Amino acid sequence: MLLIKNGNLITMAGMYEQTGDILIDDGKIVKVGQVGEVPEDCQIIDAAGRTVTPGLVDPHCHAGLWGTACREEMDGNEYTEPVLPGLRGLDAINPEDATFDAALRQGITTVVTGPGSSNIVGGTFLAIKTAGEDMESRVICPELAMKMALGENPKMTFGNRGKAPRTRMMSAALMREELFKAKEYYENYKLHGQEPDFPFDFHLHSLMRVFEGMRVKIHAHQADDIQTAVRVANEFGLHYSIEHCTEGWMIPEFLKKNNAECLLGPTVGGKSKIECQNRSYEAGRILEEAGVTFALITDAPFVPIEDQLLQVILYVKNGMSREMGIRSVTLNAAKITDIDSRVGSIEPGKDADIVIWDVEPLDTMYQAGIVLIDGKIAYERKAGESNVDYQKL
């Protein structure tokens, strides 16, 4: 048993900057608030004067599949065909990638990671803790969502090689065609899937799961691509989120009307391509005011994962509320990736993934002091330690 006492709690479940305790047993949160008496052998951490939050969640990155952007470590895009739904990020992930250690030192306890955006349909994402005894214990969900992409990336990847798609029209057409095939396959599978002569198709069998409720993560930066993504998702009744949503701030009413969930970012760094030219730190304020459900992403390594809170601070500086700032990298990030039953808030029954901050997370000098994953101390900062390098601990 472990007791964190006297912390300044931001639970994302009803307590915001209130003094309280957290009782943990067998890796789970048991009680939050005023715990009272505990067994004599209970380990105690006194968090008096320090902010305590849920472990942070990065809901869209490529940790473990791209390394630190070294060419030899890049296994996140399969450039041979535009539509490959049978791929799994799980099969390319390197659990020893130093990116996980860098994330841990920033208070990030869970990342949702998977294939890149060169493919129209690129395979599945997984959710994984940034530390743990082994791969099996770290993985929250091995196949969390199906990745799809619109916009410049698939056009440039295949169009420049004389293959489809070369236009946005063809990108959408390929996406719809594959969904039509998968839907037909799914209907046939429900009727005849157990018959010995059923024509099994590896890729369609993977994609058909979107018709059973698997989330679809649709990469779209420009407003026109975002609207196409929503149009296709609505046509097929998909459970989806818009990834990046760079120009979403330009069409907030559309997003709200369609109940679109959005993963916004990355925003730190240069406007590296045309579809990112309208990137804005006011996007968070605008989407919050419009009532759009969103969270913030790093897309690591394209923005270093240690810059997650830097992005939050810049959004808050430009009008997004402080509470939404924390929510966007905790509970909202978990909800928009369907792992909120496990992580994203401090409440009984959830995984004891908790950060005790030496310097509170929305201070520009933010500093994680103790990071717990599944109720165990996964990181404890030593005096004078750098927490932004990529030297594995």
Side-chain angles (χ1 to χ4, degrees):
M1 225 174 225
L2 171 66
L3 176 67
I4 300 171
K5 69 176 187 178
N6 302 323
N8 183 28
L9 303 187
I10 300 177
T11 66
M12 293 293 110
M15 295 181 69
Y16 188 80
E17 296 186 331
Q18 297 175 41
T19 300
D21 308 328
I22 306 167
L23 184 63
I24 298 164
D25 189 27
D26 196 25
K28 298 289 185 179
I29 298 165
V30 175
K31 189 173 181 180
V32 181
Q34 299 305 314
V35 169
E37 292 187 10
V38 295
E40 290 185 2
D41 61 349
C42 182
Q43 180 184 356
I44 296 175
I45 299 175
D46 190 350
R50 293 191 283 179
T51 298
V52 180
T53 71
L56 306 185
V57 177
D58 190 337
H60 177 119
C61 69
H62 308 285
L65 283 85
W66 255 273
T68 56
C70 172
R71 183 179 298 276
E72 290 75 15
E73 295 179 303
M74 291 185 180
D75 279 316
N77 277 319
E78 178 58 54
Y79 299 110
T80 52
E81 294 292 338
V83 177
L84 294 168
L87 303 182
R88 305 192 310 171
L90 179 68
D91 296 329
I93 196 165
N94 174 13
E96 300 303 317
D97 181 357
T99 303
F100 291 119
D101 295 279
L104 180 65
R105 294 196 291 270
Q106 306 303 311
I108 302 168
T109 55
T110 299
V111 297
V112 178
T113 182
S117 51
S118 288
N119 303 90
I120 298 295
V121 186
T124 55
F125 268 58
L126 68 145
I128 184 172
K129 303 288 183 79
T130 53
E133 293 182 0
D134 52 38
M135 184 74 166
E136 183 178 358
S137 67
R138 287 172 59 183
V139 173
I140 296 175
C141 181
E143 292 190 89
L144 185 77
M146 183 65 65
K147 177 68 180 298
M148 298 187 183
L150 295 170
E152 290 183 30
N153 288 11
K155 281 178 55 183
M156 298 295 287
T157 298
F158 295 100
N160 287 346
R161 294 159 55 194
K163 296 181 67 173
R166 295 188 65 176
T167 66
R168 282 179 162 81
M169 292 185 294
M170 191 59 176
S171 293
L174 286 172
M175 185 180 289
R176 293 177 73 251
E177 179 182 34
E178 202 66 13
L179 285 166
F180 271 120
K181 289 179 181 178
K183 187 174 184 180
E184 182 179 36
Y185 179 90
Y186 178 55
E187 296 299 331
N188 288 333
Y189 179 78
K190 286 193 295 182
L191 294 173
H192 307 293
Q194 305 309 312
E195 297 174 8
D197 59 347
F198 179 78
F200 178 81
D201 185 295
F202 176 73
H203 288 290
L204 292 180
H205 201 82
S206 179
L207 185 56
M208 79 172 189
R209 291 175 294 174
V210 305
F211 298 107
E212 297 177 327
M214 175 183 274
R215 182 178 289 272
V216 179
K217 296 168 77 70
I218 310 177
H219 166 117
H221 284 279
Q222 287 187 181
D224 54 349
D225 291 323
I226 294 168
Q227 291 173 91
T228 297
V230 171
R231 186 181 308 118
V232 172
N234 287 345
E235 178 180 349
F236 289 94
L238 304 179
H239 175 51
Y240 73 99
S241 54
I242 303 297
E243 313 293 299
H244 306 299
C245 203
T246 302
E247 291 186 355
W249 66 270
M250 300 167 67
I251 51 170
E253 296 84 3
F254 172 83
L255 295 173
K256 179 62 176 177
K257 177 183 176 181
N258 285 279
N259 297 311
E261 295 181 320
C262 305
L263 294 179
L264 182 61
T267 312
V268 171
K271 299 177 181 181
S272 57
K273 49 187 179 178
I274 294 295
E275 62 187 12
C276 293
Q277 63 185 330
N278 290 313
R279 180 183 287 172
S280 173
Y281 284 114
E282 293 192 4
R285 172 186 62 80
I286 292 169
L287 295 185
E288 182 181 5
E289 290 174 353
V292 175
T293 301
F294 71 97
L296 300 181
I297 70 173
T298 66
D299 202 30
F302 301 102
V303 163
I305 203 160
E306 61 267 29
D307 287 345
Q308 187 188 43
L309 281 174
L310 173 60
Q311 289 195 130
V312 175
I313 290 166
L314 290 170
Y315 277 111
V316 171
K317 182 179 179 180
N318 283 273
M320 186 172 74
S321 72
R322 289 176 60 84
E323 184 170 356
M324 182 59 74
I326 300 296
R327 183 175 294 272
S328 70
V329 290
T330 55
L331 187 57
N332 275 12
K335 283 184 174 180
I336 302 175
T337 49
D338 305 312
I339 54 176
D340 55 302
S341 64
R342 295 274 305 271
V343 299
S345 60
I346 299 173
E347 51 188 319
K350 289 196 175 183
D351 296 359
D353 295 357
I354 295 166
V355 185
I356 302 170
W357 298 88
D358 286 349
V359 180
E360 69 101 2
L362 295 184
D363 188 304
T364 54
M365 299 295 287
Y366 60 84
Q367 178 64 66
I370 300 175
V371 182
L372 289 88
I373 293 181
D374 295 325
K376 298 178 180 178
I377 296 176
Y379 168 71
E380 187 167 6
R381 184 174 181 267
K382 300 176 179 64
E385 176 187 324
S386 169
N387 69 342
V388 294
D389 63 33
Y390 277 76
Q391 297 300 314
K392 187 172 174 60
L393 292 176

